[in-house]
Amino acid sequence: MNKNGDTATSPSAWIEVPHFAWKTLTAGGAPTVRFSKGQTLFSQGDPVNHVLVVEHGRVRLVLLSESGHEKHMAIVGTHGLVGECSAFLDGRHSVTAVASSDVVARQVERQQLLHCIERDPECLRQVLWLMNVKLRVLAHQNLLLSQATAAQRVIHHLVQLADTYGEAHAAGVAIRISFTHQEMANIAGLSRVMTSNVLTQLQDQGMIEMVKSHCVIRDPDGLRRRALAL
């Protein structure tokens, strides 16, 4: 990701934009709110009374089917925005937002969001960028969940993380942000055990190196070739 917030063609499902500033959005006295890990910020179908700017922690966006099945769409982190995608439609949340870790956020009234994007080009650009990224992530998630094997899903997400947040490292490409096996499992639509098995296999094959929740891609070209096999 460059300083303007641009990512690779298929951006990572982990969305973090620490350089984004929301001063005009929060200038109206947006209160600080806190959520514990596992707590629901808002539920699918709830009215959109406000949106949330994530200051610390991560929020996962989950789509629920009528039968109760969950599809994890994205994980929003530092200076990301949640709830904005539904603020312009019927005024009801299209997904459920759940704290993936302890979260600190700023609560912005829906009308304040609408007011700011009408008057602040920078705020409008950032909102449109985030909505566009989420749309691309959703499209790619649909492809992976319908066509890719368990290993291919994990490999694709590792490549996307490296493309979006990777930096040169003596051992290959280091992914600057951390992720847990559970987060990867949620996004890949797999069990935690299956996800851990795939990551362990990739590590045994010398493709990656996992140190707690951080990852170094040791063979970027090889991993990318396996991702393109889909």
Side-chain angles (χ1 to χ4, degrees):
M1 181 183 300
N2 65 28
K3 65 182 180 180
N4 295 318
D6 299 323
T7 64
T9 302
S10 297
S12 170
W14 281 259
I15 303 171
E16 298 202 359
V17 279
H19 55 285
F20 271 16
W22 300 99
K23 292 182 179 179
T24 57
L25 192 59
T26 59
T32 297
V33 290
R34 301 176 185 273
F35 302 91
S36 300
K37 181 179 179 180
Q39 186 175 355
T40 298
L41 284 66
F42 53 78
S43 296
Q44 187 173 319
D46 284 351
V48 183
N49 297 319
H50 53 260
V51 299
L52 294 161
V53 177
V54 180
E55 294 196 328
H56 300 287
R58 287 180 177 158
V59 177
R60 66 180 186 271
L61 303 180
V62 185
L63 183 64
L64 301 174
S65 70
E66 291 185 3
S67 59
H69 292 126
E70 295 184 351
K71 295 296 183 184
H72 294 255
M73 311 315 301
I75 296 175
V76 180
T78 308
H79 286 194
L81 198 62
V82 292
E84 83 288 357
C85 292
S86 301
F88 308 98
L89 295 176
D90 59 359
R92 293 194 175 275
H93 288 292
S94 57
V95 297
T96 293
V98 181
S100 189
S101 65
D102 289 344
V103 170
V104 179
R106 299 290 295 278
Q107 184 174 287
V108 179
E109 295 298 320
R110 180 188 181 193
Q111 289 304 315
Q112 173 68 2
L113 171 66
L114 300 178
H115 175 83
C116 284
I117 64 173
E118 289 177 356
R119 292 165 174 77
D120 182 2
E122 181 66 10
C123 181
L124 175 60
R125 186 190 72 83
Q126 291 182 177
V127 170
L128 289 176
W129 185 89
L130 284 169
M131 293 175 70
N132 185 55
V133 166
K134 290 175 183 177
L135 179 61
R136 290 193 182 189
V137 168
L138 179 62
H140 200 71
Q141 281 286 80
N142 184 57
L143 177 65
L144 289 178
L145 292 173
S146 63
Q147 298 187 24
T149 65
Q152 286 173 326
R153 294 180 200 178
V154 174
I155 289 169
H156 269 272
H157 286 300
L158 288 173
V159 168
Q160 290 171 337
L161 280 164
D163 283 347
T164 309
Y165 303 108
E167 61 183 12
H169 186 275
V173 176
I175 297 173
R176 295 194 308 273
I177 69 169
S178 63
F179 63 89
T180 66
H181 285 204
Q182 187 61 61
E183 286 179 332
M184 179 63 79
N186 289 339
I187 287 297
L190 304 169
S191 69
R192 189 184 185 283
V193 171
M194 185 175 293
T195 300
S196 296
N197 288 341
V198 172
L199 291 171
T200 298
Q201 290 170 8
L202 292 173
Q203 187 160 250
D204 291 345
Q205 294 165 5
M207 306 288 285
I208 67 171
E209 180 179 352
M210 293 292 300
V211 180
K212 294 185 178 179
S213 57
H214 286 84
C215 180
V216 175
I217 310 298
R218 298 181 62 87
D219 184 2
D221 292 338
L223 201 67
R224 192 175 301 281
R225 283 194 296 272
R226 291 181 64 172
L228 291 174
L230 174 61

